[in-house]
């Protein structure tokens, strides 16, 4: 949960960029962490549930119309994410990675695991993903997302 991430960042005195002491940068991180629950997480999880879990549980594929509606909802929040949070910065809070970037990318990997490559036609989002992966290390990133990226093998 977000509360646990913030607690751990404070308790273990992580490097400042994860949860910045600068009030403006911290406000950007907090703003994103509050916004993402019903937006990126809500719409990304909905696509994942609709495209992967429901058909798995029911044995029935989702109607194309329903899937299109869920995908469009996600596309709306992805546009908001790019315009409001990424803007022209390398990361959400500025020039360094933060907890906001980690949380954002983890949530976006659910639709990717469901077979929806939301980075394909969004160069700004794809570049941001590459920066986040580079900051945490490509191998660690792949290891952390191995389960979700292989979910369709169920």
């Amino acid at each position: 949960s977000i509360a646990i991430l913030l607690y751990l960042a404070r308790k273990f005195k992580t490097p400042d960029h994860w949860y910045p002491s600068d009030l403006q940068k911290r406000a950007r991180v907090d703003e994103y962490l509050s916004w993402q629950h019903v937006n990126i997480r809500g719409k990304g999880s909905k696509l994942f549930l609709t495209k992967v879990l429901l058909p798995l549980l029911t044995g029935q594929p989702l109607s194309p119309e329903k899937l299109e509606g869920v995908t469009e909802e996600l596309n709306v929040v992805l546009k908001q994410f790019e315009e409001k949070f990424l803007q022209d910065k390398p990361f959400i809070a500025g020039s360094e990675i933060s907890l906001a970037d980690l949380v954002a990318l983890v949530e976006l990997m659910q639709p990717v695991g469901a077979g929806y490559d939301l980075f394909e036609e969004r160069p700004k989002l794809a570049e941001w993903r590459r920066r986040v992966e580079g900051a945490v290390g490509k191998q660690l990133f792949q290891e952390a997302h191995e389960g979700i990226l292989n979910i369709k093998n169920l």
Side-chain angles (χ1 to χ4, degrees), residues 40-96:
I40 296 292
R41 176 179 289 165
K43 306 309 184 217
S45 294
K46 186 175 181 181
L47 187 129
F48 180 78
L49 290 169
T50 307
K51 194 168 180 186
V52 176
L53 291 183
L54 285 176
L56 187 66
L57 294 172
T58 65
Q60 300 294 316
L62 193 67
S63 73
E65 297 81 23
K66 177 98 171 154
L67 188 57
E68 186 178 324
V70 171
T71 303
E72 185 51 38
E73 288 177 12
L74 177 59
N75 287 332
V76 167
V77 297
L78 291 173
K79 185 174 187 226
Q80 291 170 349
F81 175 67
E82 285 184 311
E83 292 174 356
K84 171 74 175 154
F85 292 99
L86 290 182
Q87 299 170 342
D88 290 322
K89 302 175 302 221
F91 298 101
I92 293 172
S95 61
E96 294 182 288

Side-chain angles (χ1 to χ4, degrees), residues 7-135:
Y7 167 79
L8 293 171
R10 292 173 183 131
K11 178 175 174 137
F12 294 105
K13 299 178 179 38
T14 59
D16 191 66
H17 64 89
W18 290 115
Y19 194 55
S21 56
D22 175 273
L23 289 179
Q24 286 185 327
K25 289 180 182 177
R26 182 174 284 196
R28 291 296 291 170
V29 171
D30 289 339
E31 179 184 25
Y32 175 77
L33 294 176
S34 294
W35 177 84
Q36 65 94 24
H37 291 288
V38 293
N39 292 287
I40 296 292
R41 176 179 289 165
K43 306 309 184 217
S45 294
K46 186 175 181 181
L47 187 129
F48 180 78
L49 290 169
T50 307
K51 194 168 180 186
V52 176
L53 291 183
L54 285 176
L56 187 66
L57 294 172
T58 65
Q60 300 294 316
L62 193 67
S63 73
E65 297 81 23
K66 177 98 171 154
L67 188 57
E68 186 178 324
V70 171
T71 303
E72 185 51 38
E73 288 177 12
L74 177 59
N75 287 332
V76 167
V77 297
L78 291 173
K79 185 174 187 226
Q80 291 170 349
F81 175 67
E82 285 184 311
E83 292 174 356
K84 171 74 175 154
F85 292 99
L86 290 182
Q87 299 170 342
D88 290 322
K89 302 175 302 221
F91 298 101
I92 293 172
S95 61
E96 294 182 288
I97 191 171
S98 71
L99 288 175
D101 297 288
L102 285 183
V103 169
L105 191 50
V106 164
E107 296 296 344
L108 293 177
M109 294 310 290
Q110 282 191 43
V112 172
Y116 178 57
D117 187 355
L118 51 88
F119 300 103
E120 187 176 16
E121 295 182 18
R122 292 181 181 85
K124 182 189 288 191
L125 203 58
E127 282 299 315
W128 166 79
R129 175 189 174 171
R130 282 190 274 284
R131 285 190 295 274
V132 174
E133 282 185 39

